[in-house]
Amino acid sequence: MSTGFSSSSCRFADYFVICGLDTDSGLEPDELSGENFEQSPLRRTFKSKVLAHYPENVEWSPFDQDAVGMLCMPKGLSFRTQADSHEPQFHSFIITREDGSRTYGFALTFFEEVTSKQICSAMQTLYHMHNAEQYDILHTPGTEEARPSSGAQLHAAPSISRLQRFNSYDISRDTLYVSKCICLITPMAFAQACHKVLEQLHQAVTSPQPPPLPLESYVYNVLYEVPLPPAGRSLKFSGVYGPVVCQRPSTAELPLFDFPMRKMFELLGVENVLQLFTCALLEIQILLYSQPDYQRLMTVAESITALMFPFQWQHVYVPILPASLLHFLDAPVPYLMGLHSNGQDDRTKLELPQEANLCFVDIDNHFIELPEDLPQFPNKLEFIQEISEVLMSFGVSPEGNVHCTEGPAKIKGFRSADMVSDKRNGNLASSPLNSYLLRENQTIARLQALVKRTGVSLEKVNKSASLDLKMQCDEEELKMHQLNIQVREVFANRFTQMFADYEVFVIQPSQDKESWFSNRDQMQNFDKASFLSDQPEPYLPFLSRFLETQMFASFIDSKILYHDDEEKEHTLRVFDARVDKIRLLNVRTPTLRTSMYQKCTNIDEAEKAIEMRLTKIDHTALHPHLLDMKIGQGRYEQGFFPRLQSDVLSSGPTSNKWAKRSAPAQWRRKDRQKQHAEHLYLDNDQREKYIQEARNLGTTIRQPKLSNLSPSVIAQTNWKFVEGLLKECRNKTKRMLVEKMGREAVELGHGEVSITGVEENTLIASLCDLLERIWSHGLQVKQGKSALWSHLLHYQESKEKRDATPAGLERRKSDAGCAMPPLKISLIQDMRHIQNISEIKTDVGKARAWVRLSMEKKLLSRHLKQLLSDHELTKKLYKRYAFLRCDDEKEQFLYHLLSFNAVDYFCFTNVFTTIMIPYHVVIIPSKKLGGSMFTANPWVCVSGELAETGVLQVPKNTLEITFECQNLGKLTTVQMGHDNSGLYAKWLVECVMVRNGITGHTYKFPCGRWLGKGVDDGSLERILVGELVTASTENEDRMCRTPPMQQSPGMMRRFVTISPNSKPKLNTGQIQEGVGEAINGIVKHFHKPEKERGSLTLLLCGEYGLVWALEQVFQHGFKSPRLFKNVFIWDFLEKAQVYFESAEQSQVTQDENYQTRVRHFCRFMRAISSTPRNIGKDGKFQMLVCLGARDHLLHHWIALLADCPITAQMYEDTALLKDHSLVNSLIRVLQTLQEFNITLEASLVKGIGI
């Protein structure tokens, strides 16, 4: 995490700061902290001030008074009496500047007696007022019910005596104490060292004996005489009472991290830490919540972000959110924030603007709320096991230590419903880990055996006793470093394994860096599709979302920027070195790309490096010494931390090398590259600019400005959010379209043109999150977890009041000549569909389903426009600055969403596979030969990718039915027929139309043939293959026309459209091309990832499919019989069958192969002829081709038939079947189908027992 620290500082600390009560300005209540006045005065917060900071200013790190003041005492001043506890509290914080660079702060807060008489009497006065008020409340009858919400009453109601005991301050009897804070501001986070320095300074003031030197000497020493340790070295300097040691990793190790990770695992447990880690990687909003101390928030936040190595959190990062900045929780961007609870609200009272995509971590109660459908981290269980082994070797339980809260465990605040939902998140006792690790003791025994075997630190614990002689730091600290590095190595190893071959997929820009930068938004920098296609299936849900994050994009950007090793950023260099190492190892055992779990192997060396530095200290700083001070300066009163002499602390020694920018000569050479890497100074401004821009890409707002906020500042911040949301919307829609269109452009030949499956789901889920963030920006009052759904419900309610009659619905212009008018467009109706789906239980789920449905219907933009056109409602629900009330941005946003109409999504149908859907079927008889006299009873059976309906009788007078059944998926075939009853049972059907009643998708199944005995091919039933009808109206036509879905832009259409009625004569070349294209379509189908394949039935039986192509082969050169008698291919095949069977009887000896082929052929022919179904001759031919393709027999049969004497009789000499070379090439083409496992849809082979 130390890569972005402020440039050109080589001093250990930049500033020493004192904060506390300014007696001159007296008691100012801190309204911004939002504390209520019903609290007793001792519990209220008052404004704190920065009383002093030394030196005044440092050029490379300007002092930010507002931010430091807020973060040193985030809750302002607090008062105590002698009855309360006065333990000093240590916490750290982080200040992120506009440019993303960070400074760290370390603060020790303690209590001092108040000496000012004015302050004491002011407090007494406040108490008199407060007690009088409380007395009134308690003794006013009936207020118990009237004011249940007042916080004070909840605390004060029990009894007056208690009220006086706790909430009292009597100037004559009590001593008043107030909080004060001393703080170090440093460029790097040496938390342990800073804690020691501050603790010893505080001790110097409180101990009865004065310290050896004046305080100024020690502060001066830390500010000016202690350097930062160079990379890979350790440094020792003196505190007031004892030595302080800090050490910094070398450039080949993981970056500096000095917070106790153990604490995080104890507080949360491994399972929860891993869930939180997953949320952070996917850039979900994270809110940490803790009561006892700020340090917990900081430890968890810093630990989680450190574990992400080599990736870096790119968004708002405020581990401690000052009370006055609570409105920042409204931010519609990913954030990681920490909120300190003031002890009286539990989670239920916390008003969070948006929870649809929030990970809420209650640190004290070992509890975490996760957003819906969070994917699992790859190899989660093995990963948990590996981390647990490390923790157990240090005596930390993998469950965490549930009772490590100092504060009262507020478990009672959770409702039992939370517990239930929590089980689902795997946070309580049902977590897989419990059963996994701790249910059986033998697991533990086995673990310990393993721990022994791998030599992890069971022996180390004993070893460290002997190390003590040489170790320069205490055992606790050594243990902390060891546990930290082991856990971090285990985490880093996961990424090294997962992204071992990431470099292969980085897309290097073809242009120079300047132009690459200006077009950065439009560029793809990583080949996501290819990378994902290499990954094991279970990783995909997580990886496909992770590759979309800003942190991944920035990581790849920096890879592109620093192509040559010399200049690589520190993290990148370390990561690449590890990846190279793994790839070397994997040459022999190529386990890349398998989901085999590989444990971390380099823990030992990482640990040794740290131990080496701590046993042999590389540098020792100057000792503190007397400064040039006047007599009498530097004396102070015991128990009070004084203001120091600013004149001696204002600047460092002139001769001292540290004060200058340059490092001392002996370090300069060694560390030049390191400084390069860590941006200590970059001679090249240009590159600095690149890095900066790369960092800011996609994040318009990195950091809240920590200052006392005026309305104009808040408005400006919100304006930035609005711009950011719009930009994000533009990029997301573009990304989704490119993804779709890219595929569509590549798709030639048959098949679907859509990306279904993981990638599309990821993109749509992230669009849903964006919509939720937009809808929760600037909400007046929050209702329910989904802001979008709650707005829709308000709209539905007001609309239903207004429209007793549903007159407001508009119809789409119906297509001319279309027998089925499209569904009415109705936002409310779409909501009702979602509300009727019993499987969706939560508001967030409903909102997402509604977005998916609107996307599939191509109505998202239109629906949202209609929703927002109710201005009264929007005004009622949203504050003035909300995104939804910025008209221009809103218009642009809707326009971006409109572009989705250019492509076909099936994101509703494909996801909600078990819901009930109404379908409407219409049979359209030919207009030429009226079906009015038709007497038989028709039936249909509809099949889709997910299911089929079974036979449905259709009333013959209306020829349409509506029925409800479980989602069939995309529709593929309709079987239709009739029972041949009555006088006139001949029927010419033009097509069948089927419409999905929820999504409005209409499918057309063309037929154009007769059904009836003795007419056409004598068929009483047919299998029709259909495709989606795209609703086009004239004005939309120019806007967005995708090529209709399943059509190959192949040559064939041009030949065949000559005249629809007379069968066109194709020449042999065209026929061969037809067969080639049909086979090609099938081959392509199987080369796509499984989730993205379209309908195979279409490729076999649809327009220009395999059946059609082989029909052309057999019709070529077929002798036309006498007038008025149609001869079908099936007649020829039956004759051939008779010939083969008689040849078999007459025992004509042929080779074994020939006989098996003949036997197969005859068996299939017999099975099809004897089927109980009334399919005609062409239907039978279709069935034979499909079965032959399934069992890989087609090429054998063609060979048989070409040599059969029947062919000689029934075909002319020019026929394709009589040309040996053509037949051979046909056989070769058909052989390519052998490598594919073709599964036929049930409707194609119903009633055949083979």
Side-chain angles (χ1 to χ4, degrees):
M1 291 317 319
S2 58
T3 49
F5 62 79
S6 51
S7 46
S8 77
S9 167
C10 11
R11 303 193 327 206
F12 180 82
D14 289 335
Y15 295 99
F16 178 76
V17 186
I18 307 174
C19 296
L21 167 67
D22 182 359
T23 42
D24 306 339
S25 58
L27 283 185
E28 289 182 74
D30 192 355
E31 303 91 14
L32 278 171
S33 299
E35 303 289 273
N36 49 3
F37 283 100
E38 283 135 20
Q39 291 217 17
S40 75
L42 279 182
R43 297 279 164 272
R44 294 180 197 163
T45 56
F46 297 90
K47 278 191 184 153
S48 67
K49 296 264 168 69
V50 172
L51 303 176
H53 61 94
Y54 314 100
E56 258 319 290
N57 207 16
V58 175
E59 54 178 314
W60 59 83
S61 168
F63 187 73
D64 185 340
Q65 181 123 353
D66 284 333
V68 173
M70 276 187 187
L71 290 167
C72 278
M73 306 183 101
K75 276 245 178 310
L77 293 175
S78 47
F79 286 90
R80 305 265 165 103
T81 62
Q82 75 285 352
D84 305 300
S85 69
H86 295 198
E87 279 305 292
Q89 288 262 350
F90 172 77
H91 77 270
S92 37
F93 55 85
I94 193 166
I95 297 176
T96 308
R97 299 205 191 77
E98 293 280 304
D99 67 351
S101 64
R102 294 176 168 182
T103 340
Y104 291 86
F106 299 95
L108 186 72
T109 308
F110 47 89
F111 282 88
E112 279 184 359
E113 192 181 324
V114 177
T115 47
S116 154
K117 289 281 175 289
Q118 287 133 311
I119 301 279
C120 291
S121 51
M123 185 56 85
Q124 178 79 70
T125 316
L126 285 173
Y127 256 103
H128 287 320
M129 286 157 61
H130 177 73
N131 286 347
E133 243 171 75
Q134 289 300 314
Y135 190 83
D136 287 351
I137 291 177
L138 286 178
H139 291 83
T140 313
T143 50
E144 198 65 28
E145 299 78 35
R147 298 180 53 187
S149 66
S150 97
Q153 185 174 341
L154 295 179
H155 291 294
S159 75
I160 279 221
S161 64
R162 192 190 127 204
L163 174 137
Q164 271 147 6
R165 199 170 67 252
F166 277 114
N167 289 344
S168 68
Y169 165 66
D170 182 334
I171 200 162
S172 57
R173 192 185 62 219
D174 295 318
T175 319
L176 190 61
Y177 290 88
V178 66
S179 55
K180 186 175 222 175
C181 165
I182 50 176
C183 163
L184 280 174
I185 305 287
T186 65
M188 294 181 86
F190 290 107
Q192 307 306 315
C194 291
H195 190 176
K196 277 194 189 146
V197 171
L198 294 171
E199 230 170 12
Q200 295 186 19
L201 281 170
H202 177 241
Q203 201 184 329
V205 176
T206 49
S207 72
Q209 249 39 57
L213 293 167
L215 289 178
E216 281 83 354
S217 296
Y218 300 106
V219 172
Y220 183 89
N221 182 257
V222 150
L223 285 178
Y224 299 113
E225 296 173 331
V226 177
L228 280 176
R233 310 288 175 79
S234 49
L235 169 80
K236 181 168 161 183
F237 61 97
S238 312
V240 184
Y241 295 109
V244 180
V245 172
C246 58
Q247 50 98 25
R248 177 167 160 192
S250 73
T251 48
E253 294 170 63
L254 294 178
L256 172 69
F257 179 75
D258 200 33
F259 293 86
M261 242 171 222
R262 172 189 196 122
K263 193 79 191 273
M264 172 175 75
F265 286 103
E266 283 177 344
L267 287 164
L268 293 173
V270 179
E271 168 82 17
N272 283 343
V273 167
L274 199 55
Q275 300 282 44
L276 169 58
F277 181 63
T278 310
C279 290
L281 288 170
L282 299 179
E283 297 182 344
I284 285 164
Q285 292 182 325
I286 296 173
L287 183 60
L288 309 172
Y289 188 69
S290 165
Q291 192 202 332
D293 58 20
Y294 300 110
Q295 194 52 14
R296 285 186 174 185
L297 298 171
M298 188 72 179
T299 303
V300 174
E302 283 287 286
S303 299
I304 282 293
T305 47
L307 289 176
M308 291 176 176
F309 172 90
F311 303 103
Q312 289 175 354
W313 179 260
Q314 298 290 323
H315 300 276
V316 174
Y317 181 70
V318 190
I320 297 174
L321 187 66
S324 52
L325 292 187
L326 277 185
H327 66 274
F328 250 95
L329 294 174
D330 207 3
V333 289
Y335 58 65
L336 200 167
M337 300 204 208
L339 188 59
H340 181 269
S341 88
N342 48 12
Q344 62 217 15
D345 352 330
D346 59 8
R347 162 79 179 91
T348 45
K349 294 216 190 67
L350 198 61
E351 273 286 294
L352 297 174
Q354 54 177 42
E355 296 174 55
N357 197 30
L358 178 74
C359 168
F360 179 84
V361 186
D362 185 339
I363 298 178
D364 312 329
N365 294 318
H366 198 79
F367 159 85
I368 177 170
E369 271 175 51
L370 297 168
E372 288 179 31
D373 47 66
L374 183 73
Q376 275 228 345
F377 192 79
N379 291 107
K380 183 171 161 190
L381 289 180
E382 294 96 322
F383 191 23
I384 284 183
Q385 169 108 16
E386 188 179 2
I387 303 165
S388 306
E389 287 166 15
V390 170
L391 293 177
M392 286 167 72
S393 70
F394 286 92
V396 179
S397 146
E399 260 58 58
N401 176 2
V402 185
H403 305 293
C404 61
T405 44
E406 291 101 81
K410 304 193 301 287
I411 303 283
K412 59 179 186 296
F414 293 120
R415 304 172 302 280
S416 55
D418 285 349
M419 297 299 224
V420 178
S421 74
D422 215 43
K423 271 213 169 50
R424 199 184 57 234
N425 288 346
N427 293 324
L428 296 187
S430 67
S431 95
L433 184 67
N434 288 2
S435 47
Y436 187 72
L437 278 177
L438 295 162
R439 178 91 16 104
E440 307 96 0
N441 287 333
Q442 72 248 32
T443 319
I444 294 202
R446 222 176 46 240
L447 267 181
Q448 284 176 333
L450 193 145
V451 163
K452 274 209 183 65
R453 209 171 55 244
T454 50
V456 191
S457 64
L458 280 193
E459 298 87 68
K460 257 184 207 143
V461 178
N462 313 335
K463 213 170 54 193
S464 62
S466 62
L467 270 177
D468 228 21
L469 314 170
K470 307 179 297 206
M471 271 300 159
Q472 301 286 330
C473 66
D474 54 11
E475 193 183 340
E476 265 311 284
E477 199 174 326
L478 173 68
K479 277 250 194 60
M480 180 201 90
H481 286 307
Q482 288 172 329
L483 184 142
N484 279 2
I485 197 69
Q486 292 195 20
V487 170
R488 291 174 69 203
E489 286 290 353
V490 169
F491 273 79
N493 176 55
R494 284 287 13 93
F495 286 124
T496 328
Q497 301 286 354
M498 273 197 284
F499 292 100
D501 48 358
Y502 84 103
E503 293 191 41
V504 186
F505 301 97
V506 174
I507 302 169
Q508 288 297 342
S510 43
Q511 68 275 66
D512 59 303
K513 283 190 181 166
E514 278 292 337
S515 46
W516 176 73
F517 243 102
S518 42
N519 301 315
R520 176 61 203 90
D521 280 354
Q522 282 82 49
M523 309 288 294
Q524 283 293 323
N525 61 3
F526 192 74
D527 182 355
K528 294 174 185 160
S530 312
F531 177 78
L532 289 173
S533 65
D534 274 358
Q535 300 303 316
E537 183 76 25
Y539 291 12
L540 294 180
F542 170 80
L543 281 177
S544 58
R545 280 179 65 176
F546 180 62
L547 299 188
E548 295 300 321
T549 57
Q550 185 64 40
M551 73 175 76
F552 185 74
S554 302
F555 174 73
I556 300 296
D557 278 349
S558 65
K559 175 78 182 163
I560 291 173
L561 269 178
Y562 303 114
H563 198 43
D564 38 356
D565 265 1
E566 179 60 14
E567 304 181 331
K568 261 188 211 168
E569 232 179 270
H570 176 204
T571 33
L572 190 62
R573 181 151 7 111
V574 178
F575 184 69
D576 281 353
R578 291 169 176 236
V579 165
D580 294 342
K581 194 162 148 193
I582 274 200
R583 286 160 83 178
L584 278 176
L585 292 173
N586 281 347
V587 173
R588 295 187 294 288
T589 53
T591 38
L592 280 185
R593 307 201 185 126
T594 68
S595 45
M596 223 176 74
Y597 190 81
Q598 291 178 303
K599 292 180 71 165
C600 181
T601 49
N602 50 348
I603 287 182
D604 286 351
E605 50 180 303
E607 215 172 353
K608 282 215 183 65
I610 289 180
E611 283 166 16
M612 286 289 299
R613 284 196 290 273
L614 289 177
T615 39
K616 185 182 151 296
I617 297 291
D618 299 305
H619 301 279
T620 308
L622 282 175
H623 281 289
H625 49 85
L626 269 173
L627 300 173
D628 181 15
M629 288 164 65
K630 299 189 183 70
I631 295 177
Q633 286 187 337
R635 287 213 194 124
Y636 59 88
E637 212 175 327
Q638 187 210 330
F640 294 93
F641 202 96
R643 296 206 183 181
L644 305 173
Q645 301 297 318
S646 52
D647 51 346
V648 282
L649 294 176
S650 61
S651 67
T654 41
S655 63
N656 190 339
K657 302 188 189 103
W658 298 117
K660 298 188 191 138
R661 272 173 172 247
S662 61
Q666 79 266 26
W667 295 4
R668 213 174 289 154
R669 290 182 300 285
K670 292 189 187 111
D671 297 334
R672 176 145 319 136
Q673 284 157 316
K674 176 221 73 188
Q675 288 175 332
H676 227 52
E678 301 189 2
H679 309 317
L680 279 185
Y681 37 44
L682 282 169
D683 37 25
N684 183 342
D685 298 338
Q686 195 56 38
R687 233 177 68 238
E688 181 72 295
K689 191 185 92 192
Y690 283 149
I691 296 161
Q692 209 27 66
E693 288 188 28
R695 264 209 206 98
N696 291 336
L697 279 174
T699 51
T700 33
I701 178 148
R702 295 287 310 260
Q703 226 38 48
K705 187 83 185 85
L706 297 176
S707 56
N708 283 330
L709 291 160
S710 59
S712 65
V713 174
I714 294 183
Q716 191 187 349
T717 310
N718 278 301
W719 178 241
K720 277 190 175 167
F721 284 145
V722 169
E723 288 180 323
L725 285 170
L726 187 61
K727 182 171 176 189
E728 193 179 344
C729 175
R730 187 177 66 234
N731 291 344
K732 271 216 169 64
T733 44
K734 190 161 195 175
R735 165 95 177 81
M736 288 169 78
L737 287 173
V738 164
E739 198 55 61
K740 278 287 227 198
M741 296 295 212
R743 297 282 168 108
E744 294 193 355
V746 171
E747 292 299 338
L748 295 169
H750 298 274
E752 301 284 48
V753 281
S754 69
I755 45 163
T756 50
V758 195
E759 235 176 315
E760 171 165 304
N761 263 336
T762 305
L763 293 172
I764 287 179
S766 74
L767 175 74
C768 293
D769 292 342
L770 174 64
L771 293 177
E772 282 294 359
R773 294 212 307 268
I774 287 177
W775 254 257
S776 55
H777 182 237
L779 256 184
Q780 296 272 19
V781 183
K782 184 168 169 297
Q783 292 158 323
K785 282 207 167 182
S786 162
L788 174 57
W789 189 248
S790 130
H791 192 171
L792 284 164
L793 289 172
H794 281 295
Y795 178 79
Q796 186 180 24
E797 197 183 315
S798 69
K799 193 90 171 135
E800 278 164 357
K801 277 194 198 122
R802 268 179 293 172
D803 306 353
T805 57
L809 305 179
E810 37 177 316
R811 293 187 73 134
R812 278 188 170 172
K813 284 189 256 173
S814 71
D815 286 7
C818 173
M820 194 177 270
L823 285 177
K824 290 174 181 163
I825 294 178
S826 155
L827 188 161
I828 302 289
Q829 191 51 51
D830 285 350
M831 281 186 68
R832 287 204 196 109
H833 286 314
I834 302 297
Q835 285 159 329
N836 294 339
I837 300 178
S838 56
E839 287 92 331
I840 306 176
K841 305 273 192 287
T842 62
D843 285 356
V844 177
K846 286 178 180 153
R848 290 185 171 187
W850 182 84
V851 171
R852 284 174 177 278
L853 178 59
S854 309
M855 291 272 292
E856 188 160 325
K857 294 177 87 159
K858 304 192 176 185
L859 293 174
L860 183 60
S861 179
R862 186 166 181 165
H863 277 346
L864 292 177
K865 187 173 186 171
Q866 191 179 337
L867 173 66
L868 296 172
S869 63
D870 185 337
H871 296 300
E872 288 310 303
L873 180 61
T874 315
K875 268 197 191 119
K876 194 174 90 188
L877 296 177
Y878 288 92
K879 301 187 179 115
R880 180 66 201 92
Y881 63 72
F883 183 92
L884 297 177
R885 288 185 62 188
C886 300
D887 292 339
D888 287 356
E889 281 64 31
K890 188 176 73 186
E891 283 306 308
Q892 288 185 50
F893 156 72
L894 292 170
Y895 180 74
H896 288 313
L897 292 184
L898 189 62
S899 56
F900 285 137
N901 295 2
V903 287
D904 296 317
Y905 280 100
F906 289 90
C907 47
F908 180 82
T909 309
N910 289 341
V911 170
F912 299 101
T913 52
T914 55
I915 59 175
M916 298 302 285
I917 290 185
Y919 290 93
H920 183 62
V921 179
V922 181
I923 300 173
I924 302 173
S926 167
K927 296 191 183 61
K928 289 192 290 263
L929 302 154
S932 50
M933 38 219 279
F934 174 59
T935 55
N937 300 301
W939 57 267
V940 294
C941 166
V942 184
S943 322
E945 287 180 358
L946 298 172
E948 72 167 25
T949 56
V951 170
L952 305 162
Q953 298 300 328
V954 183
K956 59 174 177 244
N957 47 357
T958 59
L959 292 184
E960 55 183 283
I961 52 166
T962 300
F963 60 91
E964 195 171 71
C965 70
Q966 195 173 335
N967 185 353
L968 299 171
K970 291 185 203 166
L971 301 187
T972 48
T973 61
V974 165
Q975 302 154 63
M976 63 168 300
H978 60 78
D979 60 1
N980 201 30
S981 60
L983 294 171
Y984 189 78
K986 296 186 177 67
W987 195 28
L988 179 58
V989 174
E990 190 168 299
C991 65
V992 177
M993 306 289 287
V994 184
R995 182 176 65 206
N996 175 325
I998 291 184
T999 64
H1001 282 325
T1002 306
Y1003 292 83
K1004 180 178 184 177
F1005 296 86
C1007 174
R1009 298 188 65 170
W1010 286 89
L1011 287 92
K1013 288 276 181 235
V1015 57
D1016 202 335
D1017 63 348
S1019 186
L1020 287 186
E1021 61 177 89
R1022 290 192 184 281
I1023 300 170
L1024 312 177
V1025 182
E1027 57 185 0
L1028 192 63
V1029 179
T1030 45
S1032 58
T1033 51
E1034 303 72 86
N1035 57 350
E1036 279 178 23
D1037 230 32
R1038 283 189 304 284
M1039 260 289 290
C1040 51
R1041 284 290 294 140
T1042 356
M1045 280 185 29
Q1046 288 84 3
Q1047 287 184 6
S1048 94
M1051 296 288 294
M1052 296 326 300
R1053 190 164 301 111
R1054 293 209 298 280
F1055 305 137
V1056 182
T1057 45
I1058 312 162
S1059 72
N1061 303 342
S1062 65
K1063 286 197 176 161
K1065 291 277 183 279
L1066 298 182
N1067 62 35
T1068 51
Q1070 292 167 332
I1071 293 173
Q1072 275 180 298
E1073 190 172 343
V1075 175
E1077 283 196 5
I1079 298 282
N1080 217 354
I1082 296 173
V1083 172
K1084 275 188 184 168
H1085 170 89
F1086 283 103
H1087 278 300
K1088 287 187 201 167
E1090 199 146 336
K1091 292 207 170 78
E1092 297 172 13
R1093 294 176 183 172
S1095 152
L1096 186 58
T1097 309
L1098 262 176
L1099 302 177
L1100 294 168
C1101 315
E1103 204 183 4
Y1104 314 123
L1106 183 63
V1107 174
W1108 172 86
L1110 290 178
E1111 236 168 50
Q1112 307 308 312
V1113 170
F1114 283 107
Q1115 278 173 351
H1116 186 261
F1118 208 30
K1119 290 185 177 166
S1120 53
R1122 300 187 308 282
L1123 253 58
F1124 309 124
K1125 184 167 186 316
N1126 256 345
V1127 178
F1128 291 89
I1129 300 172
W1130 188 253
D1131 300 329
F1132 157 66
L1133 294 174
E1134 276 179 325
K1135 283 187 182 165
Q1137 179 195 352
V1138 172
Y1139 164 78
F1140 287 133
E1141 281 168 343
S1142 61
E1144 236 178 338
Q1145 258 94 60
S1146 61
Q1147 258 72 92
V1148 180
T1149 50
Q1150 289 280 3
D1151 67 340
E1152 192 59 39
N1153 268 349
Y1154 178 79
Q1155 287 177 352
T1156 10
R1157 287 174 194 178
V1158 166
R1159 240 173 278 137
H1160 275 314
F1161 178 71
C1162 297
R1163 190 172 110 237
F1164 278 93
M1165 290 292 294
R1166 281 196 297 276
I1168 293 172
S1169 302
S1170 59
T1171 170
R1173 293 170 67 180
N1174 291 308
I1175 49 177
K1177 293 175 175 177
D1178 284 350
K1180 289 176 179 169
F1181 174 71
Q1182 173 170 306
M1183 210 175 254
L1184 183 71
V1185 172
C1186 291
L1187 289 165
R1190 182 191 73 186
D1191 296 349
H1192 306 138
L1193 297 169
L1194 285 178
H1195 54 284
H1196 295 323
W1197 294 347
I1198 295 274
L1200 277 185
L1201 294 169
D1203 292 344
C1204 169
I1206 306 289
T1207 313
Q1209 298 165 24
M1210 295 186 72
Y1211 281 88
E1212 290 162 5
D1213 294 339
T1214 54
L1216 189 151
L1217 275 180
K1218 285 187 176 177
D1219 182 326
H1220 278 293
S1221 64
L1222 290 179
V1223 169
N1224 284 340
S1225 74
L1226 178 63
I1227 290 172
R1228 273 201 304 281
V1229 172
L1230 287 171
Q1231 274 171 331
T1232 53
L1233 292 183
Q1234 275 181 283
E1235 53 186 287
F1236 304 117
N1237 183 7
I1238 292 176
T1239 326
L1240 299 177
E1241 205 174 306
S1243 58
L1244 296 179
V1245 290
K1246 216 180 253 173
I1248 301 262
I1250 302 182

